[in-house]
Amino acid sequence: METFEEHYASMRDTILKCMPNADMALIDKAVNYARVKHRDQLRKDGSPYIIHPLAVAEIVAEMGLDIDAVLGALLHDCIEDTDASHADIEKIFGQTVAELVEGVTKLTKANFSTTEQAQMENLRKMFMAMSKDIRVVLIKIADRLHNMRTMQYQTPEKQLKKCQETMDIYAPLAHRLGMQKVKWELEDTSLRYLNPKEYNEIMGYLNAHKEQDEAFMHTIQSKITERLSAVGIRNTTYGRIKHVYSIYRKMQTQGKTIDELYDIYAFRVIVDSIPDCYNVLGHIHDLFNLVPGRFKDYISTPKPNMYQSLHTTVIGSQGIPFEVQIRTWEMHETAEYGIAAHWKYKQGTGSGSEKDFEWVRRLLENQQDTDAEDYVQSLKIDMFDDEVFVFTPKGRIVSLPAGSTPIDFAYAIHSGVGNSMVGAKVNNRIAGIDVTLKNGDIVEILTSKAAKGPSRDWLNICKSNQARTKIKQWFKKERRDENVVHGRASFESEMKRAGLPLSITLDPEVSPQLLKKLSFDNWEDMYAAIGYGGLTAVKAVGRIRDDINKALKVQANEKMQAAPLRINPDSEAVRSNRHAVNGVIVEDIDSCMIKFAKCCTPVPGDPIVGFITKGFGVSVHRCDCPNAANRNLPIQTSRWVRVRWANQEEQPFETTLELDCITRDGLVLDVATIMTTSRVRVKELNAKDLPGGRSAITIRFEVKNVAELESIRAKLLNIRDVIGSRRGQN
Ligand code: MN
């Protein structure tokens, strides 16, 4: 059982050693705060919980981080495991420390153990996105390191889970951050639990050969230092056995047993300057036999994680090969502590943090971490400013375009989630579905089976194409009726804006041509397309504008010659047939709006046919009307219906005749006389002189049927100087 006092003393020593000017009163304040908050909690081995934050703070201090990071480490489990809040910590320790703790808490909540291989890339980016302050990641790594050191107290299940996570996440991360020492410890500890048999074999072998190894290393070390001292190069030289996991990896990849492996020894020569490094290299090659093809110059081309050294493998006097790594002290610090060392150097200059961040981002970004060329490449790649990384409540990472909202998130999870979304929680708080998500947010989508589906506004709110496409798909599929209504409304207002009459789309003559231009079979389909966003109303109108204007011109000419027909309002009252409307029966349709086409003004007795308009009932044409000529085309047949005149002898119909005449006095009187003697009711009679000695007489009157109309017309044509007649058609 470990005690608070032991750990506190150890941490204090380390802090004073690494940062002599540290404000110990402030440190103690954090220690006490954490101690009180965690007072009821125990570690798995029965020790007071506070030991853990103390140990993590010590590791952080060892890494060379600053006092804020140490404070953050001391408090790192307070938000997650105690009743302390961000605000509490901010009030006492300031914003920076509170944000560090908050950041670590977020990483703690993320369940990295469920991460599949495919998620690794996102995970790496996630860490990067979160490394708004790299200290968060470093505290988290220190946290994991201490947990690995005390892994023996965990259950076997937890050991396997945590160690796998460490191998998947933390060791590679430490590697990318250039923290070789931490990486090795994480790997070796993980191996111990994940492959205990192999681990123990290697450890057994190394222990059994310990004396022999040490003697060998001592011999080589002396040989090197003697030579370098003789030529006046100041150096620190030592030998070591490579770490267990790297030996394990070599055995696996080379298929060898440990005594068959040759380079398990590594020597380090640390000198003051880069020229010294190359000088040392020359002396090493002079002292020992070189193994060809093993020399690497990571000084001129550093590894992506900023590692720099000269590597060479040579063969010692006893025929045993070993590797020599030659580096400066600065390179050594970077190799051991990576980003942390770098951070430490920058600390003195004050404002280095932004630049550090760039450095980390570059470093993290380069996943192929062996090739120096890749590193050079990586310097040019812009970072992920256009992406945001958020968590599902279960810790899965979702990458979205920057500026994304819960709507984008929902559709990134599954279109079913998006379509049944009724609200969202961000970081466990109810949030608007249109809020902008930030890196590290934990997003939960509230769904309901009763949800009515996405709203059209969402199309304007969401940022990702994925969401937009899925929302459009939904509208296309699920809401055809609604789409038609919405689409029609936009189309109508666009037509209005363009100064075009909507009635043109109902015109049986013009309509097919317009639809063809729009590539739709019917107007409803086109309205639906506009409704779900597959086509804009502006585009649709733009495509048919010219055709409409052309058609309107033609019709205007026709109208000059065509007489209008008006329904006599009285006539409706006298319908005898209860299904007849305006004296017309539409087959198969019981009662619907009827109007008479203006192009051909049909009267009872005329063979007629009905055209089903959109929204204006049935329009009745004479069968010989040119506008009805296309009624047998497949595209139109469904719109044309059979209609017939109701049996209504008494019901008068209003029609119009226009007479072509040679102008003379008394002509109008003659016409009026014929009308009177024929006992028809004249509603209107106009005469108009035209150029060239012609005049036009227009008569609006009521007839019972076409037979009566034709008999009157014959009488009128008998009048002298009446040379022609025209019904309401061209
Ligand atoms: Mn912890």
Side-chain angles (χ1 to χ4, degrees):
M1 168 135 158
E2 301 169 68
T3 65
F4 168 78
E5 286 74 19
E6 277 167 23
H7 276 271
Y8 176 75
S10 169
M11 178 200 73
R12 195 184 156 87
D13 288 351
T14 303
I15 291 173
L16 287 173
K17 196 177 82 201
C18 297
M19 14 179 165
N21 302 324
D23 178 353
M24 286 313 290
L26 189 56
I27 300 274
D28 286 343
K29 199 168 166 188
V31 169
N32 289 329
Y33 184 88
R35 197 180 181 189
V36 169
K37 287 292 176 191
H38 290 297
R39 66 181 173 267
D40 297 329
Q41 296 162 353
L42 294 176
R43 296 282 287 167
K44 282 272 152 52
D45 66 344
S47 324
Y49 193 88
I50 186 64
I51 282 173
H52 170 63
L54 288 174
V56 175
E58 185 173 348
I59 295 169
V60 164
E62 246 173 352
M63 283 176 176
L65 299 191
D66 62 356
I67 187 148
D68 282 341
V70 172
L71 295 172
L74 284 169
L75 303 170
H76 81 270
D77 279 330
C78 280
I79 292 182
E80 175 72 3
D81 293 339
T82 79
D83 61 359
S85 71
H86 182 110
D88 295 341
I89 293 173
E90 182 170 342
K91 213 155 64 183
I92 305 171
F93 300 101
Q95 192 189 348
T96 308
V97 175
E99 275 171 8
L100 290 175
V101 176
E102 180 86 46
V104 174
T105 306
K106 268 183 198 163
L107 287 176
T108 304
K109 276 184 187 159
N111 184 359
F112 297 126
S113 62
T114 60
T115 304
E116 317 124 40
Q117 203 59 35
Q119 283 270 298
M120 291 302 232
E121 166 77 3
N122 272 343
L123 186 83
R124 196 170 53 82
K125 288 185 186 172
M126 173 89 228
F127 264 99
M128 179 162 42
M130 282 186 146
S131 65
K132 197 160 55 182
D133 194 326
I134 187 64
R135 289 174 293 185
V136 168
V137 177
L138 296 173
I139 294 169
K140 191 64 200 164
I141 288 176
D143 176 41
R144 174 51 57 103
L145 189 58
H146 183 244
N147 285 334
M148 290 301 287
R149 286 176 182 171
T150 52
M151 194 52 74
Q152 69 267 31
Y153 303 114
Q154 298 289 352
T155 61
E157 292 78 30
K158 194 120 187 221
Q159 285 171 347
L160 289 181
K161 185 173 169 251
K162 289 283 166 190
C163 290
Q164 191 58 53
E165 190 181 79
T166 298
M167 286 306 276
D168 287 343
I169 311 297
Y170 289 92
L173 194 61
H175 176 67
R176 290 207 180 84
L177 292 170
M179 307 165 80
Q180 208 170 49
K181 246 178 102 173
V182 171
K183 177 198 166 207
W184 289 348
E185 186 176 348
L186 291 174
E187 284 177 344
D188 285 359
T189 317
S190 298
L191 184 68
R192 182 170 156 198
Y193 294 99
L194 293 174
N195 300 75
K197 186 171 159 276
E198 288 84 347
Y199 178 86
N200 289 327
E201 252 172 48
I202 296 169
M203 286 305 283
Y205 179 92
L206 294 178
N207 283 331
H209 293 74
K210 201 169 180 177
E211 261 175 50
Q212 194 183 324
D213 287 342
E214 278 174 0
F216 171 74
M217 289 192 287
H218 183 75
T219 313
I220 301 293
Q221 183 190 331
S222 308
K223 212 163 176 183
I224 295 172
T225 47
E226 269 167 35
R227 165 66 77 96
L228 295 182
S229 303
V231 296
I233 298 175
R234 213 147 61 112
N235 70 93
T236 299
T237 299
Y238 58 90
R240 63 175 180 93
I241 303 281
K242 288 189 172 172
H243 77 293
V244 179
Y245 183 73
S246 82
I247 293 172
Y248 169 78
R249 287 276 301 158
K250 276 185 211 288
M251 289 166 65
Q252 296 293 309
T253 54
Q254 299 175 17
K256 287 179 177 165
T257 59
I258 186 164
D259 43 5
E260 292 171 323
L261 277 185
Y262 72 93
D263 53 347
I264 65 168
Y265 304 102
F267 289 83
R268 278 209 189 111
V269 183
I270 307 168
V271 293
D272 295 333
S273 70
I274 292 176
D276 279 354
C277 291
Y278 290 98
N279 285 332
V280 170
L281 183 71
H283 289 293
I284 298 288
H285 287 166
D286 188 42
L287 282 172
F288 308 101
N289 287 324
L290 171 77
V291 175
R294 300 274 300 181
F295 169 68
K296 290 182 193 107
D297 183 352
Y298 294 122
I299 289 180
S300 60
T301 46
K303 283 192 184 185
N305 62 12
M306 307 301 276
Y307 176 87
Q308 284 184 298
S309 281
L310 299 175
H311 284 194
T312 187
T313 302
V314 293
I315 296 172
S317 45
Q318 302 161 50
I320 299 171
F322 56 92
E323 187 179 68
V324 183
Q325 302 168 349
I326 307 158
R327 55 176 70 148
T328 65
W329 281 105
E330 190 175 342
M331 292 172 193
H332 182 62
E333 284 279 297
T334 301
E336 296 280 284
Y337 296 106
I339 175 65
H342 180 86
W343 197 87
K344 185 164 65 177
Y345 287 130
K346 288 288 168 192
Q347 209 180 347
T349 69
S351 67
S353 65
E354 196 52 39
K355 220 177 150 202
D356 288 339
F357 181 41
E358 278 307 308
W359 189 80
V360 173
R361 293 207 302 192
R362 274 184 220 136
L363 191 151
L364 283 164
E365 181 210 357
N366 198 324
Q367 199 167 29
Q368 290 80 39
D369 44 5
T370 49
D371 198 342
E373 264 176 49
D374 283 347
Y375 170 66
V376 175
Q377 282 284 314
S378 76
L379 289 173
K380 295 176 197 151
I381 298 171
D382 277 335
M383 286 319 299
F384 303 89
D385 290 342
D386 51 349
E387 278 179 276
V388 61
F389 301 90
V390 296
F391 291 112
T392 67
K394 285 185 178 163
R396 206 183 122 202
I397 296 166
V398 179
S399 121
L400 298 167
S404 282
T405 63
I407 297 173
D408 298 282
F409 176 86
Y411 281 98
I413 299 300
H414 191 270
S415 49
V417 175
N419 292 335
S420 56
M421 172 160 83
V422 291
K425 278 183 173 180
V426 175
N427 300 326
N428 226 13
R429 279 198 174 129
I430 293 288
I433 56 169
D434 57 347
V435 298
T436 301
L437 297 175
K438 297 186 303 297
N439 274 318
D441 278 347
I442 299 166
V443 188
E444 186 181 349
I445 299 302
L446 309 173
T447 60
S448 160
K449 280 196 178 124
K452 292 192 182 108
S455 140
R456 248 161 246 280
D457 302 336
W458 295 8
L459 286 170
N460 301 323
I461 297 170
C462 67
K463 281 285 177 305
S464 60
N465 287 331
Q466 190 184 27
R468 200 164 290 127
T469 306
K470 285 177 173 174
I471 294 169
K472 280 182 189 170
Q473 270 170 2
W474 187 88
F475 278 114
K476 190 175 180 177
K477 265 218 305 260
E478 303 286 324
R479 284 291 164 93
R480 188 178 156 85
D481 292 350
E482 200 181 290
N483 288 337
V484 170
V485 172
H486 280 281
R488 177 196 221 119
S490 338
F491 181 76
E492 281 181 9
S493 78
E494 183 55 28
M495 286 286 278
K496 208 169 171 185
R497 209 184 58 76
L500 301 171
L502 192 67
S503 57
I504 197 80
T505 60
L506 306 171
D507 190 310
E509 194 180 29
V510 187
S511 168
Q513 173 198 344
L514 299 181
L515 285 168
K516 198 177 158 194
K517 200 89 178 203
L518 290 161
S519 310
F520 283 95
D521 286 348
N522 56 64
W523 290 102
E524 210 169 272
D525 283 357
M526 194 207 66
Y527 294 147
I530 293 176
Y532 74 74
L535 172 74
T536 65
V538 176
K539 227 178 213 168
V541 172
R543 233 178 260 170
I544 55 175
R545 179 180 285 125
D546 290 351
D547 294 66
I548 292 177
N549 283 327
K550 222 180 278 171
L552 287 172
K553 225 176 244 173
V554 171
Q555 286 188 349
N557 290 338
E558 287 167 357
K559 245 184 213 152
M560 298 261 291
Q561 301 159 28
L565 174 140
R566 286 202 210 126
I567 306 295
N568 180 350
D570 298 336
S571 63
E572 283 184 25
V574 295
R575 302 194 303 269
S576 59
N577 188 315
R578 67 189 180 96
H579 297 313
V581 179
N582 295 344
V584 169
I585 294 169
V586 179
E587 288 185 7
D588 302 321
I589 302 176
D590 227 349
S591 117
C592 64
M593 224 172 18
I594 294 286
K595 63 167 193 165
F596 294 96
K598 287 178 180 159
C599 48
C600 55
T601 57
V603 297
D606 281 333
I608 49 174
V609 66
F611 180 77
I612 302 173
T613 66
K614 294 277 177 177
F616 298 97
V618 171
S619 157
V620 176
H621 292 257
R622 296 200 336 236
C623 284
D624 60 352
C625 174
N627 289 338
N630 288 330
R631 65 184 178 273
N632 291 323
L633 292 180
I635 207 171
Q636 291 225 348
T637 45
S638 62
R639 304 286 298 273
W640 290 95
V641 289
R642 280 162 55 174
V643 297
R644 59 188 165 83
W645 297 102
N647 187 16
Q648 293 174 302
E649 294 294 327
E650 299 310 312
Q651 190 179 5
F653 281 81
E654 195 176 275
T655 191
T656 305
L657 273 181
E658 193 179 291
L659 304 177
D660 262 351
C661 315
I662 295 163
T663 310
R664 73 161 162 90
D665 289 338
L667 184 58
V668 174
L669 186 60
D670 289 351
V671 169
T673 306
I674 295 291
M675 298 310 283
T676 309
T677 56
S678 304
R679 280 187 294 244
V680 295
R681 192 168 159 203
V682 175
K683 295 285 192 90
E684 189 184 333
L685 197 153
N686 279 318
K688 194 160 93 184
D689 285 353
L690 301 172
R694 293 291 192 91
S695 51
I697 296 174
T698 307
I699 322 158
R700 185 157 63 85
F701 60 106
E702 286 179 353
V703 289
K704 289 193 192 68
N705 52 45
V706 71
E708 189 182 16
L709 170 64
E710 288 308 325
S711 113
I712 291 166
R713 172 145 65 169
K715 287 179 195 164
L716 291 168
L717 284 169
N718 274 338
I719 300 173
R720 184 165 58 90
D721 292 323
V722 174
I723 54 176
S725 74
R726 181 166 43 236
R727 271 178 71 183
Q729 80 166 76
N730 39 340

